[in-house]
Amino acid sequence: MDKTYTITRHICPRNCYSSCSMLGYTVNGRLTKVSGDPKHGYTNGLLCAKGYNYLQHVYHPDRLKYPMRQVPRGSGNWQRISWTQAIDLIAEKIIELYQHYDSHLSLALNKYSGNMGILHHAMEGFFNGLGKTSRAIGNPCWAPGMDALYYDFGEHHTSDMVDIRHAKTIILWGINPVWTSIHSMPYILGAKQRGAKVITIDPVYTETAKKSDTYIQIKPRSDGALALAIAKYIFEHDLYDADFISRHTHGWTELTEYLRHSSMEEALKQCGQTIEAIQYLAEVLSKNKPAYFWVGFGMQRHQNGGQNIRAINALAAITGNLGRKGSGVQFGQRATWKFSYNILKAEPKDKKRSTGVRPLDFNDFANELQKQQNPPVKLLWITSRNLLTQSGNIEQLKQSLQELELIVTLDHFLTETATFSDLVLPATTQFEEWDVVASYWHHWISINQPAISPYYESKSELEIARMLSKRLNEYEQNFSAFPTDLTDEEFIDQEFTDEFYQALQIQNWRELLNGPRRVNLPKTAWESLDFKTPSGKMELFSTRAENEQLSPFGMALLNEQKTSKYPYLLLLNHEPFRINSQFQNLNSYKQINPEPCIYLHPALAMEKGIQSNSLIKLFNSHGQVTIRAKYSEDVENHTLVIHPNHPLINQLIDFIPTDMGKMVTGGNGNALNDLYVNIEKLT
């Protein structure tokens, strides 16, 4: 038997900062090893714990092998069917609904970030090729923050991580890279060894905070109040960078008037800090430059989430910490996503069919399904998403789903959402398909090539779109405009423009098979100081925000939300061993995290009479759950943290719109971290 390895290149396509480049080692058609790719200039040959456990994922005994049909829905009565039967069932329902409603608006797609590859836009392309359909729009992850960057800077850029070596101060604000971006830690620790001071600002004393020089524990939701207090101190003590402000910002006069009339006392109360802490931060940012801000996604998952990010943007600007090496506000970027997106551009040849999308709010999907009645949604396609573990109003959502005639889910496993579906289709992994993936954090692009044949009868999203389009066109010529004659590699050909090749300094995407390439972007974000705003400057006062009935200033105090009935804020943190519900079924994960727990401060536990490791009732107006409690001095007294996150918490979650999100993503985010609850010990 041949023991020689065949080595192939891959990229982890999950919704993660790192987008790790990987090498697959195959012997006799079986993947036997996965390692990091040392040619990747950001991840440098390392993987996280999830990456090193991909073999468990690929060959997991519970992985879906065949198309399955459940009759009736929710019964658990699954029948194996052929791909021909599955495609026929779907095509017949699409045709039936079109004939009944004279449009495709009864078809809906709900998809998000289970796979970030460009070819995984195939289902959107297929839906576009039918005509106007219904589509979940918005973003559950970063919508408010992306709007905040849009209002202040005009575009979304991040610095290359190597730029952090020039920083003298590093502010890790609401980000826990030890858990969620492990590949960034060598850069942060390297800067620290060269003398940079690392400051973590967070409601929780995280693993990252424990490795920092200074930790500032603030109250949840109060990031903007803290930034305002620092800015007011800087203004009142002439610590601002007058030259930078004059040359590169818009709205300083208006902002100073706002700061002059803001209450320092109220700001300190809201963020839970002393004037001494404010003085320390103000002087560090003003005197120990350049300062590098990395702001996390959690702080913008509040009702004031976008305003929190805008406040930090303003703080960086008035201290002159933008556009110079080792400075800037880092959140997320799309500058490396230079694809043509031809895969999305199929349009019906029948000009009588309208094109476009009837939007369904991603974060309020239960209500949206019920609201749309002209025509109602009757077929729902779910892919790259576990809808029932990532949504609010779960019971209402289940009721809405019961009104549908066909629910199709494409996945690797029989997830909570799959068990609520009529048809479940087995999907390939990144080791069984072609794709290209860019990062929303670093500047590197990687290719993904097949290492092994598709697992049993699993198929890629692209192959399924082609099959379905072909079947519909057999029913009626040009019924679907999605291409059926292009190979995977030909689809990739179409995604690379001359501009993209120039940015990658290659002639053809196949050169990526020799190793990842960095997109030729400035290593320092906004190095040219040419901002893409109406004024051409960083906008401390934004008329675009004002026109959207938002505060024009990048600063604001909080509106209190909690009530005496539900006085505790429950934070939903991200963790190192899974991404939402992905990887939770791996044996290695189960051994590390056997059950979810609520962590609370011992003083609060004593006040409520709760013993560590005892079961408690966690409840609000939406529902209640029973969960184990554990003591932790890492959390503030009236703050709770769940670890690991668990779908049972969705029973408590409503849709609470954040302040921003519509400008960039089409819908406001969900204020998932404004989850107010109460707790009781169980007798």
Side-chain angles (χ1 to χ4, degrees):
M1 182 176 290
D2 184 10
K3 293 293 183 68
T4 304
Y5 286 114
T6 298
I7 302 177
T8 45
R9 280 201 154 78
H10 310 276
I11 185 164
C12 182
R14 307 296 170 235
N15 188 352
C16 169
Y17 286 104
S18 295
S19 298
C20 294
S21 185
M22 302 181 293
L23 298 177
Y25 298 80
T26 306
V27 178
N28 297 320
R30 185 176 179 85
L31 187 68
T32 60
K33 177 184 173 182
V34 175
S35 73
D37 184 351
K39 289 189 176 182
H40 195 281
Y42 173 72
T43 56
N44 293 309
L46 298 176
L47 299 178
C48 70
K50 300 180 288 291
Y52 285 119
N53 279 284
Y54 259 121
L55 282 180
Q56 286 189 49
H57 183 94
V58 172
Y59 294 114
H60 197 288
D62 294 336
R63 188 174 164 194
L64 292 168
K65 299 179 177 67
Y66 314 103
M68 304 290 287
R69 185 182 187 187
Q70 183 177 210
V71 183
R73 183 187 305 158
S75 66
N77 180 28
W78 291 98
Q79 305 166 1
R80 175 183 169 182
I81 60 175
S82 69
W83 271 105
T84 299
Q85 290 173 300
I87 295 298
D88 282 350
L89 283 167
I90 299 165
E92 288 166 7
K93 179 56 67 173
I94 290 174
I95 294 165
E96 174 192 326
L97 293 172
Y98 181 72
Q99 291 174 340
H100 183 74
Y101 294 111
D102 196 30
S103 82
H104 286 299
L105 290 175
S106 62
L107 312 182
L109 174 65
N110 192 308
K111 176 182 179 181
Y112 189 52
S113 64
N115 191 303
M116 305 286 278
I118 188 66
L119 296 191
H120 276 260
H121 288 79
M123 200 47 61
E124 292 101 308
F126 169 75
F127 270 65
N128 290 343
L130 293 174
K132 191 172 185 179
T133 57
S134 300
R135 193 82 49 88
I137 58 96
N139 187 290
C141 287
W142 66 357
M146 293 299 269
D147 268 19
L149 270 61
Y150 168 80
Y151 290 130
D152 294 343
F153 304 126
E155 284 185 356
H156 309 101
H157 295 284
T158 58
S159 295
D160 193 303
M161 200 70 198
V162 299
D163 194 57
I164 203 172
R165 66 176 179 236
H166 300 289
K168 291 185 178 179
T169 299
I170 299 170
I171 308 290
L172 302 175
W173 203 321
I175 183 74
N176 184 13
V178 170
W179 276 15
T180 61
S181 183
I182 192 65
H183 296 92
S184 68
M185 288 309 297
Y187 299 95
I188 294 170
L189 296 176
K192 185 177 180 182
Q193 290 172 356
R194 285 187 289 271
K197 299 300 180 185
V198 179
I199 301 170
T200 291
I201 301 172
D202 203 291
V204 181
Y205 187 39
T206 63
E207 293 304 310
T208 300
K210 294 169 186 176
K211 296 181 182 298
S212 303
D213 297 294
T214 302
Y215 169 56
I216 305 291
Q217 186 171 55
I218 64 170
K219 295 179 180 179
R221 305 179 69 244
S222 70
D223 307 270
L226 176 62
L228 186 148
I230 300 168
K232 184 174 178 66
Y233 188 95
I234 287 171
F235 169 60
E236 292 177 345
H237 293 81
D238 295 327
L239 295 173
Y240 51 87
D241 189 326
D243 180 64
F244 185 91
I245 290 170
S246 174
R247 296 172 61 189
H248 302 297
T249 71
H250 167 77
W252 173 241
T253 301
E254 293 90 341
L255 180 59
T256 56
E257 191 65 17
Y258 181 80
L259 291 173
R260 186 177 285 113
H261 293 93
S262 298
S263 168
M264 177 67 81
E265 181 180 4
E266 180 61 23
L268 293 176
K269 177 184 175 183
Q270 288 191 4
C271 65
Q273 293 305 310
T274 64
I275 193 64
E276 289 78 16
I278 301 303
Q279 177 184 354
Y280 166 74
L281 290 169
E283 292 184 348
V284 164
L285 293 176
S286 303
K287 299 177 181 180
N288 198 41
K289 299 193 291 188
Y292 180 104
F293 297 75
W294 184 358
V295 295
F297 295 158
M299 74 171 67
Q300 44 97 67
R301 291 178 184 148
H302 295 286
Q303 286 176 271
N304 63 330
Q307 202 65 29
N308 282 339
I309 304 295
R310 288 202 66 206
I312 297 169
N313 293 342
L315 191 58
I318 68 174
T319 55
N321 280 301
L322 291 175
R324 59 187 298 185
K325 292 184 184 300
S327 73
V329 180
Q330 322 301 331
F331 179 77
Q333 59 88 17
R334 298 286 290 182
T336 58
W337 293 74
K338 295 181 179 291
F339 303 106
S340 69
Y341 292 97
N342 272 320
I343 197 168
L344 297 176
K345 296 177 182 177
E347 288 190 4
K349 294 183 179 180
D350 183 352
K351 299 305 179 183
K352 296 179 182 178
R353 290 196 203 173
S354 60
T355 58
V357 169
R358 179 175 69 173
L360 307 176
D361 193 311
F362 206 113
N363 294 303
D364 195 21
F365 199 65
N367 283 322
E368 291 287 271
L369 283 177
Q370 293 179 351
K371 185 171 67 176
Q372 300 295 345
Q373 294 298 323
N374 188 29
V377 171
K378 289 299 179 181
L379 185 155
L380 177 62
W381 191 290
I382 304 167
T383 181
S384 298
R385 178 137 164 81
N386 192 351
L387 185 62
L388 291 182
T389 68
Q390 297 176 300
S391 303
N393 296 326
I394 290 297
E395 293 307 315
Q396 182 185 0
L397 177 59
K398 289 180 178 179
Q399 292 173 12
S400 299
L401 294 177
Q402 290 288 18
E403 301 299 316
L404 306 185
E405 295 179 10
L406 183 64
I407 301 175
V408 181
T409 294
L410 175 64
D411 213 309
H412 296 147
F413 298 98
L414 202 61
T415 63
E416 291 86 348
T417 302
T419 59
F420 213 80
S421 304
D422 302 293
L423 289 178
V424 176
L425 308 178
T428 49
T429 68
Q430 71 266 32
F431 299 99
E432 302 149 48
E433 61 188 19
W434 282 102
D435 215 336
V436 187
V437 181
S439 169
Y440 59 73
W441 177 244
H442 59 69
H443 297 168
W444 289 77
I445 300 286
S446 300
I447 194 71
N448 192 91
Q449 63 183 136
I452 55 177
S453 298
Y455 185 77
Y456 286 82
E457 292 185 10
S458 60
K459 294 187 182 297
S460 71
E461 189 170 326
L462 177 54
E463 177 62 14
I464 295 168
R466 280 189 298 239
M467 292 171 65
L468 197 49
S469 184
K470 182 178 180 180
R471 182 67 186 90
L472 288 169
N473 289 335
E474 290 171 352
Y475 160 75
E476 179 183 309
Q477 188 176 10
N478 297 325
F479 191 93
S480 169
F482 188 78
T484 61
D485 57 344
L486 297 179
T487 67
D488 293 14
E489 293 169 84
E490 287 171 333
F491 271 100
I492 296 176
D493 283 335
Q494 292 188 345
E495 292 301 324
F496 282 84
T497 62
D498 291 341
E499 177 193 7
F500 203 176
Y501 282 138
Q502 186 176 1
L504 290 168
Q505 298 180 318
I506 59 176
Q507 300 297 315
N508 188 279
W509 63 264
R510 289 172 180 80
E511 293 180 49
L512 295 172
L513 293 170
N514 298 321
R517 298 299 290 259
R518 183 183 178 276
V519 179
N520 188 22
L521 294 170
K523 291 188 176 181
T524 303
W526 301 113
E527 190 172 38
S528 67
L529 295 172
D530 178 21
F531 299 100
K532 305 305 179 183
T533 56
S535 66
K537 298 181 177 183
M538 188 279 170
E539 299 206 340
L540 301 168
F541 183 101
S542 171
T543 53
R544 289 196 292 195
E546 188 176 39
N547 290 339
E548 294 298 319
Q549 285 74 55
L550 298 167
S551 170
F553 302 106
M555 298 281 177
L557 290 175
L558 281 167
N559 293 318
E560 289 296 330
Q561 298 294 322
K562 68 181 180 181
T563 66
S564 57
K565 196 171 183 180
Y566 307 111
Y568 310 115
L569 197 60
L570 174 61
L571 298 181
L572 310 176
N573 67 339
H574 282 265
E575 52 200 275
F577 301 112
R578 67 175 185 173
I579 301 176
N580 298 320
S581 65
Q582 296 173 90
F583 303 101
Q584 68 178 358
N585 60 342
L586 302 187
N587 289 332
S588 54
Y589 169 83
K590 292 178 179 178
Q591 293 168 8
I592 296 170
N593 293 303
E595 68 171 330
C597 296
I598 293 293
Y599 290 82
L600 71 165
H601 196 278
L604 175 59
M606 185 176 297
E607 176 187 329
K608 305 289 288 188
I610 294 171
Q611 298 294 318
S612 185
N613 290 314
S614 65
L615 292 175
I616 62 170
K617 181 172 75 171
L618 184 72
F619 63 97
N620 62 15
S621 60
H622 298 285
Q624 67 179 50
V625 298
T626 299
I627 193 168
R628 196 167 301 281
K630 288 193 175 184
Y631 294 170
S632 174
E633 294 186 350
D634 293 343
V635 298
E636 187 260 345
N637 193 16
H638 279 69
T639 303
L640 311 175
V641 174
I642 181 172
H643 177 71
N645 278 340
H646 194 276
L648 62 86
I649 295 299
N650 287 55
Q651 298 175 44
L652 309 177
I653 295 175
D654 192 7
F655 171 57
I656 305 173
T658 57
D659 52 354
M660 300 179 194
K662 290 183 179 178
M663 293 300 293
V664 175
T665 71
N668 291 76
N670 193 357
L672 295 169
N673 280 330
D674 279 354
L675 180 53
Y676 285 95
V677 298
N678 208 336
I679 52 175
E680 288 181 3
K681 67 176 182 178
L682 292 180
T683 56

